[in-house]
């Protein structure tokens, strides 16, 4: 498909959906953001984007830093399995 033909289709799609100021590249960004939040690894993001450098993939990995809370909660649960009374247990065990 030629560039000018694609552009006509893209502009028509934007008009039909009522979207404005959306660029085709935004779809790539959205897709990679969704992949990162869905658990894609840096390597998987690199493969999806066709990049040989981790730099761009790390941008998307940065977006999922909110997972820190989920990771900390998981670690906390693992500790509770070993020490059900938690670190504040006064018995010294």
């Amino acid at each position: 498909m030629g560039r000018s033909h694609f552009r006509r289709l893209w502009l028509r799609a934007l008009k039909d959906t009522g979207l404005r100021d959306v660029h085709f590249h935004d779809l790539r960004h959205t897709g990679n953001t969704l992949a990162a939040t869905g658990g894609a690894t840096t390597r998987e993001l690199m493969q999806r984007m066709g990049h040989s450098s981790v730099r761009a993939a790390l941008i998307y990995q940065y977006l999922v830093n909110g997972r820190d809370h989920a990771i900390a909660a998981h670690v906390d649960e693992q500790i509770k399995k070993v020490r059900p009374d938690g670190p504040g247990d006064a018995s010294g065990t």
Side-chain angles (χ1 to χ4, degrees):
M1 176 182 311
R3 187 177 195 136
S4 64
H5 181 66
F6 177 81
R7 180 162 172 74
R8 280 194 306 271
L9 293 174
W10 176 250
L11 293 174
R12 185 181 322 145
L14 291 178
K15 182 179 177 184
D16 290 349
T17 58
L19 295 174
R20 294 181 174 188
D21 297 325
V22 177
H23 303 94
F24 185 74
H25 192 79
D26 296 337
L27 297 179
R28 178 178 166 93
H29 179 70
T30 300
N32 287 314
T33 299
L34 293 173
T37 58
T41 65
T42 303
R43 174 67 62 197
E44 290 166 332
L45 289 170
M46 288 171 58
Q47 189 173 10
R48 286 175 54 87
M49 295 184 292
H51 292 166
S52 58
S53 164
V54 298
R55 185 172 183 222
L58 289 177
I59 291 169
Y60 295 99
Q61 289 293 356
Y62 176 77
L63 294 172
V64 296
N65 277 346
R67 286 189 23 89
D68 288 345
H69 181 70
I71 292 167
H74 174 75
V75 170
D76 189 48
E77 288 300 315
Q78 298 305 308
I79 292 169
K80 286 179 182 177
K81 288 179 182 177
V82 177
R83 288 182 74 185
D85 295 327
D89 182 14
S91 68
T93 58

